[in-house]
């Protein structure tokens, strides 16, 4: 099944202990699409400026991603500059220039409207809600958000959460959203806001899915996928979006959404996140075969399974 | 097979968001013994003062732990006071009184000398080395240490590491010991110091074993065991020592040390750590059946396994 994703397509300047890259292609929708395209057809809704040229377009084309929903506007694309020199787990933002993204009004091509899978990447919850409502055929809707929306746009975000099947956020965002320092209690609090499943991304420690009603006294059913202990993290940018792309892409590729499919989706999420950080920007995701993906999936199984 | 453990038996006063307990029975050797006693016969080498009475003795007796190596000295037992009010993941030490532990000279009962499994809990590496040398029958030797010995007694510690089969420490200690911020590189650095296996404890995120030579480009083979997402951590004290007890206790209970046995040992370590934090001090470990242990082992399998 095709996924439609709405989110940012951007240029990033990134500095990490491994070096520096200027204006590489980035943005949540870009990482998500490249990761999900390993599994299924992906359609993107975004806005870019005049600096988005043929070489950027070719990155999407090479992976067969449908970009008719990427609007070309006058001006420059969203630009972000960040540094991981102090802490590989958390970027220090040096500059954010919204540019054409500041006035983004998602336009949905007619050809996208039959998408049964919809991913609302981290953008203004008002826009997330609008896209969700404009895509009534979507049967499974997942989304992301961030501290900025949690603290400053809580009411709009809560409207989005009511219509979400799956929310993917990190530990800090989970605690912040629920106002509870205990992750399990916070997860239950988030599930009460609407999503049927919460996937908490732990960075180098993997991710935990909370869903349904507990049968073991722990408030919700849980499933934990590992991350690969990595010798070299070149650039952590986009790891969470790549996780989301692997997770949701795998779900969309399956005929039936069984509990086993959700478990494997968690592993594929971790797999795609582990590739994303191996090189700067989306470099690694651009050069990635399905064979490599499945080999790493098996490595993750071996890393965690008893037999 | 019987395990001999050398380490502290102490009284702890602990404050956490869940409440406060004064002078509960603690110490690394106590947590380790109680956890390991679920799996095998345990023998303790330690020193206590006159404040160690019949009720403390009965905690060991109830679990069939051999305490003839616990020396009774004049004075008071080791005492520690700590608070987790600011951070459940790291204790703030309010008071440390070494008391009789300050002059601890481990005395090994003759009946202990045939132990094939030896655990050197976190004590002065000079003493760890002395005990190891006095137990030549030990075929598998594991140990723990802490930042204090890593920074201030590095040479003595390095002597111990040369004779260790398995070192169990946490993330921060691993990075500190190897002088490398990347966990995988740090782990390889630690393995080059002597231990055949390094188990890095990640607290609420589980633990990773590094061992052998990599066949996948990641420097060492790895296996990752989860921790259970817990709704309530009442008291984190002793979680790492309980992990070590579960891990090493299970190993000692097995006829053959196959790769599969090591994997299950990692899970049993996580299982015992998860019980330890459910109540103050050693309360939960004192009231724990093997049936509960195995049920939680199955819960951990379900939490992480694809099929």
């Amino acid at each position: 099944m095709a996924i439609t994703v709405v989110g940012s397509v951007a240029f990033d300047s990134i500095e990490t202990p491994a070096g520096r890259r200027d204006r590489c292609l980035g943005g949540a929708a870009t990482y998500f699409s490249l990761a999900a395209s390993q599994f299924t057809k992906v359609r993107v809704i975004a806005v870019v400026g005049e600096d988005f040229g043929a070489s950027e377009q070719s990155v999407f084309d090479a992976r067969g991603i449908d970009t008719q929903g990427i609007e070309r506007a006058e001006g420059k694309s969203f630009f972000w500059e960040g540094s991981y020199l102090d802490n590989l787990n958390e970027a220090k933002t040096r500059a954010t220039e919204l540019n054409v993204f500041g006035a983004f009004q998602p336009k949905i091509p007619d050809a996208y409207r039959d998408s049964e899978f919809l991913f609302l990447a981290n953008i203004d919850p008002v826009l997330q809600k609008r896209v969700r409502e404009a895509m009534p055929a979507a049967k499974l809707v997942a989304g992301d958000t961030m501290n900025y929306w949690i603290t400053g746009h809580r009411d709009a975000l809560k409207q989005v959460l009511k219509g979400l099947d799956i929310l993917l956020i990190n530990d800090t965002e989970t605690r912040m959203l629920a106002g509870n320092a205990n992750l399990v209690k916070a997860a239950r609090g988030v599930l009460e806001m609407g999503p049927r499943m919460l996937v908490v991304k732990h960075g180098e420690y993997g991710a935990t899915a909370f869903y349904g009603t507990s049968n073991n006294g722990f408030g919700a059913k849980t499933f934990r996928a590992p991350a690969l202990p990595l010798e070299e993290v070149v650039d952590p940018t986009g790891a969470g979006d790549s996780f989301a792309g692997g997770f949701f892409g795998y779900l969309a590729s399956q005929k039936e959404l069984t509990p086993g499919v959700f478990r494997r989706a968690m592993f594929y999420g971790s797999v795609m996140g582990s590739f994303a950080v191996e090189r700067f920007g989306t470099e690694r995701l651009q050069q990635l075969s399905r064979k490599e993906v499945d080999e790493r999936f098996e490595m993750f199984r071996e890393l965690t399974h008893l037999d």
Side-chain angles (χ1 to χ4, degrees), chain A:
Chain A
M1 297 289 191
I3 296 174
T4 289
V5 53
V6 58
S8 60
V9 172
F11 288 95
D12 295 337
S13 288
I14 301 160
E15 191 162 15
T16 83
R20 186 182 164 85
R21 286 293 184 286
D22 280 311
R23 293 186 60 77
C24 46
L25 180 64
T30 309
Y31 284 99
F32 178 94
S33 303
L34 290 170
S37 71
Q38 289 288 339
F39 305 95
T40 194
K41 181 85 186 158
V42 184
R43 300 157 168 174
V44 187
I45 300 170
V47 62
V48 295
E50 291 150 307
D51 48 3
F52 185 91
S55 76
E56 286 77 24
Q57 179 63 47
S58 72
V59 169
F60 291 89
D61 293 344
R63 297 283 326 147
I65 297 163
D66 188 335
T67 58
Q68 56 179 302
I70 301 187
E71 180 192 350
R72 313 292 178 116
E74 274 181 38
K76 294 169 81 175
S77 301
F78 182 28
F79 171 76
W80 177 78
E81 183 174 348
S83 165
Y84 299 89
L85 290 182
D86 292 339
N87 182 356
L88 259 181
N89 293 312
E90 201 180 335
K92 185 187 275 179
T93 293
R94 285 178 177 163
T96 304
E97 298 169 14
L98 289 178
N99 299 324
V100 299
F101 198 67
F104 181 36
Q105 295 296 336
K107 293 175 189 64
I108 301 162
D110 282 340
Y112 286 16
R113 293 195 187 266
D114 64 350
S115 293
E116 294 191 6
F117 288 77
L118 175 63
F119 189 77
L120 308 170
N122 168 36
I123 53 171
D124 186 334
V126 171
L127 301 184
Q128 289 180 316
K129 180 159 180 271
R130 202 174 300 161
V131 173
R132 201 275 164 263
E133 286 168 356
M135 301 278 290
K139 287 183 180 159
L140 199 73
V141 185
D144 189 5
T145 191
M146 67 183 291
N147 48 8
Y148 177 78
W149 309 115
I150 294 170
T151 53
H153 296 70
R154 181 170 284 262
D155 289 343
L157 179 58
K158 286 204 163 178
Q159 292 296 314
V160 175
L161 295 180
K162 281 183 192 164
L164 271 195
D165 296 298
I166 308 171
L167 177 67
L168 296 99
I169 51 179
N170 68 27
D171 288 66
T172 309
E173 290 155 356
T174 304
R175 295 185 166 108
M176 195 182 283
L177 182 54
N180 196 312
N182 177 282
L183 187 65
V184 178
K185 286 181 187 166
R188 199 170 48 200
V190 171
L191 289 178
E192 283 166 4
M193 296 177 191
R196 290 192 290 150
M197 177 182 278
L198 169 67
V199 176
V200 184
K201 297 171 285 184
H202 310 307
E204 63 176 315
Y205 296 117
T208 306
F210 296 88
Y211 58 101
T213 308
S214 169
N215 50 2
N216 57 23
F218 292 101
K221 285 180 191 158
T222 50
F223 182 70
R224 186 163 273 193
L228 196 64
L230 285 172
E231 180 127 3
E232 188 165 41
V233 173
V234 169
D235 172 15
T237 311
D241 301 314
S242 305
F243 180 100
F247 172 80
F248 209 53
Y250 179 75
L251 287 182
S253 75
Q254 299 298 300
K255 285 208 184 84
E256 216 185 332
L257 297 180
T258 64
V261 164
F262 275 96
R263 287 166 178 253
R264 285 192 286 282
M266 289 288 290
F267 268 59
Y268 276 114
S270 275
V271 162
M272 299 311 293
S274 78
F275 280 119
V277 305
E278 286 185 354
R279 294 199 210 147
F280 275 99
T282 59
E283 282 172 28
R284 187 68 179 99
L285 296 183
Q286 292 178 36
Q287 311 285 337
L288 187 61
S289 70
R290 180 60 192 260
K291 182 164 171 286
E292 288 175 302
V293 171
D294 287 327
E295 280 170 5
R296 186 156 297 182
F297 182 94
E298 283 311 311
M299 200 188 282
F300 272 59
R301 181 198 287 269
E302 215 177 290
L303 177 71
T304 54
H305 279 48
L306 291 165
D307 310 300

